[in-house]
């Protein structure tokens, strides 16, 4: 249960520039932080996380599976020579962030994190390494503003291969032509050899469990779309899907055994694709 993942919550003090009423509304990034056992969440987030967990005990297990998947994906990208990363919908800083994992494999890695929550920016920026990582306010539904942001362009060379990570975000996006167009714009701007890794809640493995969890998240956030694996695969378009394809998270290139009690149901699937 989530109660075992974090101490009894004490609301952190809002950082300068954050309106005091912002943390009164549950936020996806802070709910995720709570599930991971982090410390940057507020009573409204904890209450939402507990409501979700009470109805779907899989939620905290899935959060940890997404983090394990992210670690393996970053390692796979660096093994292919990618040394610059873009993490869209990055969420709050927690253990094994992209810049930390990438630095284990290549010391000169550069990372741009993007999130649409000002709380994430205020809490995350002090933990980053100047000159090697930056956290920007931006939205995956406005890719041009993200990719043309001057701070991104200072750190990232869009003419060179880039590793893009979209973890725990897609199921909060509507299934509309506008969403498809934004990801098409992202793919178009990436240089050959770039990689796109994404995961999402899908209905294929356990339709009942996925629908239950999706409705809980949608009730807390008012957003999203439950997709099939085929619908998720369309986000890769003509990129080449890498082994083992689009699969449940803990089936994607496992590198260490996970205790059975920590393994979630196959509700969230992920994959990695390269641009030819």
């Amino acid at each position: 249960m989530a109660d075992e993942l974090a101490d009894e919550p004490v609301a952190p003090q809002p950082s300068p520039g954050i309106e005091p009423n912002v943390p009164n509304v549950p936020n996806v990034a802070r709910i995720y932080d709570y599930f991971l056992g982090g410390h940057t969440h507020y009573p409204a987030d904890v209450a939402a996380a507990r409501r979700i967990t009470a109805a779907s005990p899989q939620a905290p297990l899935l959060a940890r599976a997404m983090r394990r998947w992210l670690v393996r994906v970053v390692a796979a990208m660096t093994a292919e020579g990618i040394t610059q990363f873009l993490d869209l919908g990055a969420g709050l800083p927690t253990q094994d962030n992209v810049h930390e994992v990438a630095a284990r494999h290549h010391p000169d890695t550069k990372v741009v994190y993007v999130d649409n929550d000002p709380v994430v920016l205020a809490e995350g920026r002090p933990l980053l390494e100047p000159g090697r990582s930056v956290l920007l306010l931006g939205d995956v539904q406005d890719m041009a503003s993200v990719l043309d942001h001057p701070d991104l362009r200072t750190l990232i060379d869009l003419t060179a291969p880039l590793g893009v990570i979209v973890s725990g975000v897609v199921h909060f996006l509507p299934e509309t032509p506008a969403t498809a167009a934004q990801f098409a714009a992202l793919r178009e701007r990436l240089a050959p050899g770039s990689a796109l890794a994404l995961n999402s809640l899908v209905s294929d493995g356990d339709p009942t469990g996925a629908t239950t969890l999706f409705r809980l998240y949608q009730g807390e956030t008012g957003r999203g779309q439950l997709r099939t694996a085929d619908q998720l695969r369309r986000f890769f378009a003509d990129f080449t899907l890498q082994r083992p394809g689009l699969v449940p998270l803990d089936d994607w290139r496992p590198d260490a055994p996970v205790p059975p009690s920590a393994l979630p149901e196959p509700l969230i699937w992920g994959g990695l694709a390269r641009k030819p």
Side-chain angles (χ1 to χ4, degrees):
M1 298 293 288
D3 291 349
E4 298 171 348
L5 299 179
D7 296 332
E8 194 64 25
V10 176
Q13 294 298 311
S15 300
I18 298 177
E19 295 296 332
N21 65 335
V22 169
N24 292 333
V25 178
N27 172 273
V28 173
R30 297 192 301 267
I31 292 171
Y32 184 55
D33 174 73
Y34 177 73
F35 283 153
L36 288 175
H39 301 287
T40 312
H41 44 260
Y42 295 82
D45 308 305
V46 175
R50 288 177 171 174
R51 287 192 295 269
I52 292 169
T53 304
S56 178
Q58 290 291 307
L61 301 181
L62 288 165
R64 295 198 167 195
M66 282 194 287
R67 184 58 47 163
R68 291 192 296 269
W69 175 86
L70 180 144
V71 169
R72 298 195 303 276
V73 158
V74 172
M77 290 182 180
T78 57
E80 295 295 327
I82 291 176
T83 60
Q84 53 179 7
F85 293 85
L86 174 62
D87 188 350
L88 295 169
L92 287 158
T94 185
Q95 65 273 18
D96 281 335
N97 286 297
V98 174
H99 68 278
E100 296 170 331
V101 178
R104 296 173 199 160
H105 303 278
H106 197 292
D108 297 325
T109 301
K110 296 180 180 180
V111 181
V112 172
Y113 296 99
V114 179
D115 204 276
N116 63 357
D117 181 7
V119 175
V120 169
L121 267 69
E123 299 292 345
R125 280 176 168 165
L127 302 178
L128 300 181
E129 183 180 353
R132 296 198 181 278
S133 53
V134 65
L135 180 53
L136 309 179
L137 187 65
D139 197 314
V140 296
Q141 297 188 82
D142 187 2
M143 292 291 187
S145 293
V146 170
L147 297 174
D148 292 329
H149 194 290
D151 290 345
L152 180 145
R153 301 303 293 270
T154 296
L155 203 62
I156 297 296
D157 177 8
L158 291 177
T159 67
L162 175 66
V164 181
I165 299 163
V166 190
S167 179
V169 173
V170 173
H171 44 260
F172 293 109
L173 301 177
E175 183 73 1
T176 63
T179 297
Q182 291 301 321
F183 276 82
L186 170 66
R187 294 190 303 268
E188 177 65 25
R189 296 283 297 274
L190 296 179
S194 294
L196 172 62
L198 57 83
N199 64 48
S200 177
L201 188 66
V202 299
S203 58
D204 296 57
D206 180 356
T208 300
T211 299
T212 297
L213 185 57
F214 172 71
R215 287 176 176 168
L216 291 166
Y217 274 120
Q218 190 176 46
E220 297 295 343
T221 66
R223 298 181 288 126
Q225 175 69 48
L226 178 60
R227 293 173 172 84
T228 65
D230 280 342
Q231 288 174 308
L232 181 60
R233 193 174 289 109
R234 294 172 196 164
F235 283 83
F236 294 120
D238 60 349
F239 282 26
T240 304
L241 198 59
Q242 306 295 291
R243 65 171 182 86
L246 186 61
V247 296
L249 294 180
D250 282 305
D251 292 339
W252 198 90
R253 303 189 192 182
D255 56 1
V258 179
S261 61
L263 281 171
E265 296 297 322
L267 304 182
I268 296 182
W269 293 24
L272 169 67
R274 297 293 296 268
K275 184 170 183 175

